[in-house]
Amino acid sequence: MSRLSPTPPKHKGEHKGHALPRGSDRGCSSRDKDRSATVASSVPMPAGGKGSRPTCPGSASQRTPNRLIHEKSPYLLQHAYNPVDWYPWGQEAFEKAKSENKPIFLSVGYSTCHWCHMMEEESFENEEIGRLLSEDFICVMVDREERPDVDKVYMTFVQATSSGGGWPMSVWLTPSLQPFVGGTYFPPEDGLTRVGFRTVLLRIREQWKQNKNTLLENSQRVTAALLARSEISMGDRQLPPSAATMNSRCFQQLDEGYDEEYGGFAEAPKFPTPVILSFLFSYWLSHRLTQDGPRAQHMALHTLKMMANGGIRDHVGQGFHRYSTDRQWHVPHFEKMLYDQAQLAVAYSQAFQISGDEIYADVARGILQYVSRSLSHRSGGFYSAEDADSAPERGMRLKEGAFYVWTVKEVQQLLPEPVQGATEPLTAGQLLMKHYGLTEAGNINPNQDPKGELQGQNVLTVRYSQELTAARFGLDVEAVQTLLSSGLEKLFQARKHRPKPHLDSKMLAAWNGLMVSGYAVTGAVLGMEKFINCAISGAKFLKRHMFDVASGRLMRTCYAGSGSTVEHSNSPSWGFLEDYAFVVRGLLDLYEASQESAWLEWALRLQDTQDRLFWDSRGGGYFCSEAELEAGLPLRLKDDQDGAEPSANSVSAHNLLRLHGFTGHKDWLDKCVCLLTAFSDRMRRVPVALPEMVRALSVHQQTLKQIVICGDPQAKDTKALLQCVHSVYVPNKVLILADGDPSSFISRQLPFLSTLQQQENQATAYVCENQAYSVPITDPCELRKLLLQ
């Protein structure tokens, strides 16, 4: 819980002079956005998440709902029957706090957060605590995925004034929305080392009555200090820092924290962080002839391979879980997030481009097949997440990972067939169990299962190569491949009969934009038209359901209705910076994959709107939200960290460079320079916190390549050149198709395209760098050689 002081602790765990008790920092860690992600906790963090589960089956229907019953958010609806007088974030709650002179209790979480729902069961479902909350506080519940601005502002406060941050986030505010106490998860009652939630509420109630003026003064001081610390501005700087220096420092910091044995960049828990892998690939490309280049490539490829073999990957149904609770990538936190699938599909596609190893292509395909099957709306949009917990059997209490784990007995019953040709008696089940490390006692360490819900269960994780498994039993590798594939399919069919995890059917523009990128890039790299079509469907969904034509603005959210319908909240939920940045990136990737200029046109329009709504004309860079949406919040922030998702400013820097390459409009290049300059201090101090922005800095200072293909879009020779470009890892490029029509959109943007001609009536490629063009190339092999230089 908060120190009532404007100065944050010097290091994690230091707390002095608490006027009020501080809560446990245990929760779904907000620091998963950092390479050294840790969950601040006095006990091991469970591997689970949670869906919508009433305390007693059917009890919700016997109780009176609170006002959250009118919301669309799955997370808010999960709290609609709490005996708490909850308000959604809005003026009704704020006015009531002012009129009754009561502090606001703000709880922020999300639908698949384990500790959010633990606190709900223990405290928000407790009648006595519910009465205390409702009588002495104005209680506000926020879905952090609907309102990232609210989450970001108050998480900044919690992280600066306590030993960490996470979800559920618990913050107490003045009626004017100034924070004065903050924490994360609280147990309901006092323990040996932790203060209980009921005690916290009683102490804050007493302090508010007897010492309110001091609380208000301290709150104002803290807020003023946070405002000064969080300012990101160009100041008197004219140019961003040296890309070479930032690259070197970022790589060194990653190298120091690298796990040589298992890959990744922390002990435990371990998060897939695609922005780091993307940086390492780019670093390798520009440092191939040095010692560090191959090292960077190894770090990224090894991490991806270890993740692909580990339990963090769902070997039965594909896709990736949120994070690993151990160093070995073995026991995951079982929820599956859309943004992870989107970014990892791209990372594995890039790994395939670089290495040519089919394992990476197989993983990328599996991710997108999972998304198509389980996270896709009929109209083309993409759902947010699947929960970690589910019932082992219908009617039973939910348990973490129940949908995903297996006992030896289950596998033996499903796969009893004898394996022909083995050097010892062997069933298909025994072969699969050996390969994936299943044991009679279960292969989950009790340290990863503090609640004892996974005893005797197994998480599939590849223990041996198929060659070693084949040699162990005297079989051909092809036979082992067939047996394992067949065995996994039977497990998949059996799993269909289990109760499914809760689906968060909320659809976010930002994450849908990431998923459009995932399908477009992977489809282009692997030459799979069906994936590109999924990207097109996703973009059409965004334009149809999450775009206001009249204002040119994106909406943040929409929700799955009955059948194939789509619903919106009662009042428009306008988009934040990340919605625009990620959708623009998705549209640019889709243009390069499909060569349909309509997507490029829409990207330009959205970028214009983004500039109008979020650009800081004085300090440079983009604010996270519109000034109007920020009304009343104590801070207006610029996101300065690439983590589980890349910072919207980092993505915007790339988008501005690409848009300049597609259009030649210098104002976007100038904006990019201002943005990079504004974040100079942050990059200099902690470049590893902004690897995606360091990558953009490199692209800017090394210049972008314009690859122009002149030809008929439907002709085989044109498609061959396009596929050649997609098969090579060239991160600092824009790919343009010039079909010879001077009136086309792209020709109007770049008049010089009319000077580039086909050679001998064949599709022809030109590579432009620093305003100098390569000789015309008609042979895909020659083009590949040039791009690999």
Side-chain angles (χ1 to χ4, degrees), residues 50-55 63 75 77-83 86 114-126 141 168 185:
K50 181 172 184 331
S52 177
R53 58 176 167 196
T55 305
R63 289 182 283 170
Y75 181 64
L77 289 171
Q78 286 166 352
H79 294 79
Y81 287 89
N82 295 162
W86 288 118
H114 173 80
W115 288 101
C116 299
H117 296 285
M118 183 68 75
M119 191 164 175
E120 179 197 8
E121 285 185 359
E122 294 173 341
S123 294
F124 301 153
E125 289 287 351
N126 181 294
M141 177 70 66
Y185 161 86

Side-chain angles (χ1 to χ4, degrees), residues 252 278 292 319 355 361 382 427 623:
Q252 288 169 6
S278 184
D292 287 345
S355 70
F382 304 105
T427 66
F623 290 109

Side-chain angles (χ1 to χ4, degrees), residues 33 273-275 339 343 511 514 578 581-582 585 639-652 654 689-693 695:
K33 301 186 76 176
T273 314
V275 289
Y339 58 78
Q343 295 177 89
W511 296 2
L514 289 175
E578 65 179 39
F582 295 175
R585 169 185 274 188
D639 194 6
D640 63 352
Q641 186 162 318
D642 297 320
E645 304 161 60
S647 155
N649 270 286
S650 297
V651 173
S652 294
H654 285 276
L690 283 168
E692 188 73 2
M693 189 170 289
R695 220 166 59 79

Side-chain angles (χ1 to χ4, degrees), residues 406-413 433 438-442 456 458:
W406 302 88
T407 64
V408 163
K409 182 179 178 181
E410 286 176 305
V411 175
Q412 287 175 330
Q413 289 176 342
M433 290 187 292
L438 279 67
T439 67
E440 287 279 358
N458 292 273

Side-chain angles (χ1 to χ4, degrees), residues 249-271:
R249 288 182 186 171
C250 188
F251 172 75
Q252 288 169 6
Q253 289 178 344
L254 290 172
D255 194 23
E256 289 167 5
Y258 180 65
D259 184 338
E260 298 285 353
E261 188 173 1
Y262 296 103
F265 300 90
E267 286 296 313
K270 273 188 177 173
F271 294 81

Side-chain angles (χ1 to χ4, degrees), residues 422-436:
T423 54
E424 61 185 78
L426 181 72
T427 66
Q430 289 170 329
L431 176 74
L432 186 140
M433 290 187 292
K434 183 70 174 178
H435 187 74
Y436 288 104

Side-chain angles (χ1 to χ4, degrees), residues 347 373 556 573 628 674 705 751:
R373 182 182 68 249
R556 170 69 175 175
S573 54
E628 290 77 9
C674 290
K705 291 182 180 178

Side-chain angles (χ1 to χ4, degrees), residues 272-300:
T273 314
V275 289
I276 288 177
L277 303 172
S278 184
F279 167 81
L280 290 172
F281 284 147
S282 292
Y283 188 86
W284 158 76
L285 189 66
S286 58
H287 293 77
R288 283 174 292 178
L289 301 180
T290 71
Q291 201 171 22
D292 287 345
R295 169 71 173 165
Q297 183 198 56
H298 166 76
M299 288 161 64

